[in-house]
Amino acid sequence: MNDTKRGIAFYVETVLLVLFLSVALAVLVQVFAAAQGMGTQAQRLSDGTLLAENAAELIAASESEEEFRSLVNVSPESEICLHYDVQNGIVKEAEDGFYCLKISLKKDGTLVEAQIDVSAEDELVYSLQTAANWRGE
């Protein structure tokens, strides 16, 4: 009879241990999945920040809209919308890239205000407002 009770106790402990390990494993999988999502979001934010800062520096370095458009290789009539992709950790201009950099310019005399928006998969990643003094056209 004692052997039967010991056998039952062993099985009950085994089942409880398996249940505990299953719950712990489920929690850890959720934690790691959330961490991966946060890492992806942080990488997108870093890339978006880099793209927006580079565009802002080009605006500050330019003396006219014509010069700025020639630097970013956009025709005078078109909207300023550039596409970038990440290859081996390097952000490069691409025909149909993952990131879309949209720049809206608003001129008031020599003061130019720029709204720079970076989006990925139709979701805004980063937005930056800047201003510069351009000598004129």
Side-chain angles (χ1 to χ4, degrees):
M1 189 113 183
N2 275 342
D3 288 338
T4 306
K5 287 183 181 178
R6 284 188 207 160
I8 292 172
F10 173 76
Y11 288 122
V12 169
E13 287 178 9
T14 303
V15 167
L16 289 175
L17 180 61
V18 168
L19 285 174
F20 173 76
L21 290 175
S22 298
V23 169
L25 182 63
V27 168
L28 287 176
V29 166
Q30 288 179 349
V31 167
F32 287 128
Q36 182 179 3
M38 291 172 69
T40 301
Q41 185 179 9
Q43 184 62 48
R44 285 183 181 180
L45 181 60
S46 294
D47 294 340
T49 303
L50 177 68
L51 289 171
E53 286 178 354
N54 288 346
E57 288 177 11
L58 287 174
I59 291 168
S62 301
E63 293 186 8
S64 67
E65 183 175 356
E66 209 173 79
E67 182 181 354
F68 173 70
R69 285 180 177 273
S70 70
L71 287 174
V72 294
N73 199 21
V74 175
S75 65
E77 306 84 32
S78 67
E79 176 182 57
I80 304 173
C81 188
L82 308 169
H83 295 279
Y84 291 89
D85 212 353
V86 179
Q87 298 169 353
N88 298 326
I90 299 172
V91 179
K92 294 184 177 182
E93 193 168 349
E95 180 75 25
D96 201 21
F98 181 72
Y99 294 103
C100 177
L101 177 71
K102 186 175 180 181
I103 303 170
S104 302
L105 299 174
K106 184 176 132 185
K107 292 183 267 183
D108 184 18
T110 60
L111 179 66
V112 176
E113 296 177 1
Q115 174 68 38
I116 303 168
D117 295 324
V118 180
S119 58
E121 297 176 338
D122 296 328
E123 179 183 332
L124 184 64
V125 174
Y126 187 74
S127 183
L128 176 68
Q129 291 180 335
T130 187
N133 278 316
W134 286 350
R135 291 187 183 169
E137 301 298 310

mmCIF file of all heavy atoms in Angstrom, residues 33 48 60-61 79 90 95 102 109 114 117 121 130 134 136:
data_model
loop_
_atom_site.group_PDB
_atom_site.id
_atom_site.type_symbol
_atom_site.label_atom_id
_atom_site.label_comp_id
_atom_site.label_asym_id
_atom_site.label_seq_id
_atom_site.Cartn_x
_atom_site.Cartn_y
_atom_site.Cartn_z
ATOM 1 N N ALA A 33 9.349 37.304 -27.614
ATOM 2 C CA ALA A 33 8.643 37.835 -28.780
ATOM 3 C C ALA A 33 8.443 39.341 -28.638
ATOM 4 O O ALA A 33 8.624 40.101 -29.606
ATOM 5 C CB ALA A 33 7.304 37.130 -28.951
ATOM 6 N N GLY A 48 15.114 55.863 -39.196
ATOM 7 C CA GLY A 48 14.307 57.032 -39.527
ATOM 8 C C GLY A 48 14.943 58.322 -39.047
ATOM 9 O O GLY A 48 14.937 59.340 -39.748
ATOM 10 N N ALA A 60 20.009 72.588 -44.651
ATOM 11 C CA ALA A 60 20.831 73.641 -44.053
ATOM 12 C C ALA A 60 22.039 73.979 -44.922
ATOM 13 O O ALA A 60 22.471 75.136 -44.966
ATOM 14 C CB ALA A 60 21.292 73.210 -42.662
ATOM 15 N N ALA A 61 22.569 73.010 -45.635
ATOM 16 C CA ALA A 61 23.745 73.236 -46.468
ATOM 17 C C ALA A 61 23.409 73.893 -47.800
ATOM 18 O O ALA A 61 24.277 74.476 -48.442
ATOM 19 C CB ALA A 61 24.463 71.912 -46.724
ATOM 20 N N GLU A 79 7.081 66.196 -56.282
ATOM 21 C CA GLU A 79 7.065 66.140 -54.823
ATOM 22 C C GLU A 79 8.368 65.486 -54.360
ATOM 23 O O GLU A 79 8.892 64.603 -55.027
ATOM 24 C CB GLU A 79 5.862 65.286 -54.397
ATOM 25 C CG GLU A 79 5.744 65.056 -52.923
ATOM 26 C CD GLU A 79 4.557 64.162 -52.602
ATOM 27 O OE1 GLU A 79 4.503 63.043 -53.137
ATOM 28 O OE2 GLU A 79 3.713 64.593 -51.832
ATOM 29 N N ILE A 90 23.409 49.096 -43.669
ATOM 30 C CA ILE A 90 23.681 50.390 -44.285
ATOM 31 C C ILE A 90 22.417 50.869 -44.990
ATOM 32 O O ILE A 90 21.829 50.134 -45.775
ATOM 33 C CB ILE A 90 24.856 50.278 -45.279
ATOM 34 C CG1 ILE A 90 26.115 49.827 -44.546
ATOM 35 C CG2 ILE A 90 25.086 51.616 -45.980
ATOM 36 C CD1 ILE A 90 27.267 49.498 -45.454
ATOM 37 N N GLU A 95 15.069 52.190 -55.381
ATOM 38 C CA GLU A 95 13.931 52.539 -56.247
ATOM 39 C C GLU A 95 12.602 52.385 -55.516
ATOM 40 O O GLU A 95 11.757 53.258 -55.534
ATOM 41 C CB GLU A 95 13.950 51.651 -57.491
ATOM 42 C CG GLU A 95 12.829 51.924 -58.456
ATOM 43 C CD GLU A 95 13.026 53.201 -59.243
ATOM 44 O OE1 GLU A 95 14.182 53.629 -59.417
ATOM 45 O OE2 GLU A 95 12.022 53.772 -59.658
ATOM 46 N N LYS A 102 9.651 61.812 -46.966
ATOM 47 C CA LYS A 102 8.861 62.846 -47.624
ATOM 48 C C LYS A 102 9.219 64.193 -47.018
ATOM 49 O O LYS A 102 9.187 64.357 -45.796
ATOM 50 C CB LYS A 102 7.369 62.566 -47.457
ATOM 51 C CG LYS A 102 6.507 63.520 -48.228
ATOM 52 C CD LYS A 102 5.051 63.130 -48.125
ATOM 53 C CE LYS A 102 4.219 64.120 -48.921
ATOM 54 N NZ LYS A 102 2.803 63.822 -48.844
ATOM 55 N N GLY A 109 9.746 84.271 -47.955
ATOM 56 C CA GLY A 109 10.910 85.126 -48.220
ATOM 57 C C GLY A 109 12.153 84.254 -48.302
ATOM 58 O O GLY A 109 12.221 83.325 -49.097
ATOM 59 N N ALA A 114 10.839 73.328 -43.255
ATOM 60 C CA ALA A 114 10.736 71.993 -43.853
ATOM 61 C C ALA A 114 10.123 71.028 -42.852
ATOM 62 O O ALA A 114 10.474 71.023 -41.669
ATOM 63 C CB ALA A 114 12.113 71.491 -44.267
ATOM 64 N N ASP A 117 9.186 63.787 -42.950
ATOM 65 C CA ASP A 117 8.501 62.616 -42.412
ATOM 66 C C ASP A 117 9.130 61.350 -42.979
ATOM 67 O O ASP A 117 9.312 61.238 -44.189
ATOM 68 C CB ASP A 117 7.009 62.636 -42.772
ATOM 69 C CG ASP A 117 6.267 63.793 -42.120
ATOM 70 O OD1 ASP A 117 6.616 64.138 -40.972
ATOM 71 O OD2 ASP A 117 5.356 64.339 -42.754
ATOM 72 N N GLU A 121 6.320 51.045 -44.293
ATOM 73 C CA GLU A 121 5.082 50.273 -44.444
ATOM 74 C C GLU A 121 3.863 51.134 -44.111
ATOM 75 O O GLU A 121 2.991 50.737 -43.345
ATOM 76 C CB GLU A 121 5.121 49.016 -43.579
ATOM 77 C CG GLU A 121 6.222 48.056 -43.962
ATOM 78 C CD GLU A 121 6.297 46.850 -43.032
ATOM 79 O OE1 GLU A 121 5.821 46.928 -41.881
ATOM 80 O OE2 GLU A 121 6.851 45.844 -43.483
ATOM 81 N N THR A 130 12.306 71.583 -39.393
ATOM 82 C CA THR A 130 13.520 72.391 -39.371
ATOM 83 C C THR A 130 13.302 73.632 -40.229
ATOM 84 O O THR A 130 12.318 73.723 -40.959
ATOM 85 C CB THR A 130 14.738 71.581 -39.878
ATOM 86 O OG1 THR A 130 15.919 72.343 -39.686
ATOM 87 C CG2 THR A 130 14.593 71.201 -41.338
ATOM 88 N N TRP A 134 17.595 80.619 -46.946
ATOM 89 C CA TRP A 134 18.137 80.468 -48.276
ATOM 90 C C TRP A 134 18.263 81.845 -48.902
ATOM 91 O O TRP A 134 17.398 82.708 -48.709
ATOM 92 C CB TRP A 134 17.259 79.560 -49.138
ATOM 93 C CG TRP A 134 17.366 78.115 -48.795
ATOM 94 C CD1 TRP A 134 18.269 77.520 -47.965
ATOM 95 C CD2 TRP A 134 16.525 77.051 -49.274
ATOM 96 N NE1 TRP A 134 18.063 76.176 -47.888
ATOM 97 C CE2 TRP A 134 16.997 75.857 -48.693
ATOM 98 C CE3 TRP A 134 15.438 76.998 -50.119
ATOM 99 C CZ2 TRP A 134 16.410 74.633 -48.949
ATOM 100 C CZ3 TRP A 134 14.861 75.771 -50.382
ATOM 101 C CH2 TRP A 134 15.345 74.592 -49.796
ATOM 102 N N GLY A 136 17.937 82.806 -51.890
ATOM 103 C CA GLY A 136 16.918 83.105 -52.893
ATOM 104 C C GLY A 136 17.113 82.268 -54.129
ATOM 105 O O GLY A 136 18.021 81.456 -54.223
#
